[in-house]
């Protein structure tokens, strides 16, 4: 069985799926409250509109990510990026040379160097090691506010 691309596990995409499920649950609840044969209420129209917006947002996110050939866009990771994976592990993106050799990640605790683009850590881990989605914490030695990366 073929694995889905990494962007399928994108944190924003997961949140969009949850929003759609919640919006559809509201539509179902409001629909169930209307007696059979009664016209649709304003509350139902509002719930349907919210569900439509949630579905549109999900569809747009999927198309945006799909158009990146599975990479998720946004330029990917850069040498020196500090990320947090879903299991709470901290990782540093290694140099382009290490990435080319198949070792693009290093444990942040093993790096021993400042987290800056000029001095990336030596790669010791494969691309699949940090568990997705990844939250970018530091780029170029500066905090970035914990942005979930689409890759």
């Amino acid at each position: 069985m073929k694995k889905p691309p990494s962007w399928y596990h994108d944190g924003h995409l997961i949140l969009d799926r949850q929003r759609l499920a919640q919006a559809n649950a509201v539509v179902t609840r409001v629909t169930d409250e209307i007696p059979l044969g009664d016209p649709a209420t304003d509350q139902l129209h509002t719930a349907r509109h919210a569900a439509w917006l949630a579905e549109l947002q999900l569809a747009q996110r999927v198309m945006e990510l799909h158009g990146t050939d599975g990479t998720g866009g946004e330029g990917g990771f850069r040498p020196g990026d500090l990320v947090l994976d879903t299991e709470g592990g901290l990782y540093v993106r290694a140099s382009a040379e290490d990435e080319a050799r198949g070792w693009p990640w290093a444990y942040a605790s093993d790096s021993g160097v400042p987290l800056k683009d000029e001095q990336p850590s030596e790669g010791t881990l494969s691309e699949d090691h940090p568990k997705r989605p990844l939250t970018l914490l530091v780029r170029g030695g500066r905090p970035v506010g914990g942005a979930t990366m689409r890759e």
Side-chain angles (χ1 to χ4, degrees), residues 1 6 15 17 27 33 43 50 65 89 93 98 100-101 105 136 138-139 144:
M1 179 172 279
S6 62
L15 291 174
R17 286 188 203 111
V27 169
E33 292 172 355
Q43 189 178 13
L65 294 171
R93 189 67 174 189
D98 285 335
R101 287 192 295 256
W105 293 103
L136 180 63
V138 175
R139 174 164 279 170
V144 294

Side-chain angles (χ1 to χ4, degrees), residues 5-58:
S6 62
W7 62 258
Y8 181 79
H9 303 288
D10 175 75
H12 292 289
L13 187 60
I14 291 167
L15 291 174
D16 289 342
R17 286 188 203 111
Q18 290 172 348
R19 280 189 207 102
L20 178 58
Q22 291 168 349
N24 283 328
V26 170
V27 169
T28 300
R29 182 181 49 80
V30 171
T31 301
D32 290 345
E33 292 172 355
I34 299 172
L36 192 60
D38 282 4
T41 63
D42 288 340
Q43 189 178 13
L44 179 57
H45 289 300
T46 301
R48 285 178 177 165
H49 183 72
W52 173 76
L53 289 175
E55 191 165 357
L56 180 63
Q57 184 175 357
L58 175 64

Side-chain angles (χ1 to χ4, degrees), residues 79 94-101 120:
S95 69
E97 292 81 22
D98 285 335
E99 184 175 350
R101 287 192 295 256

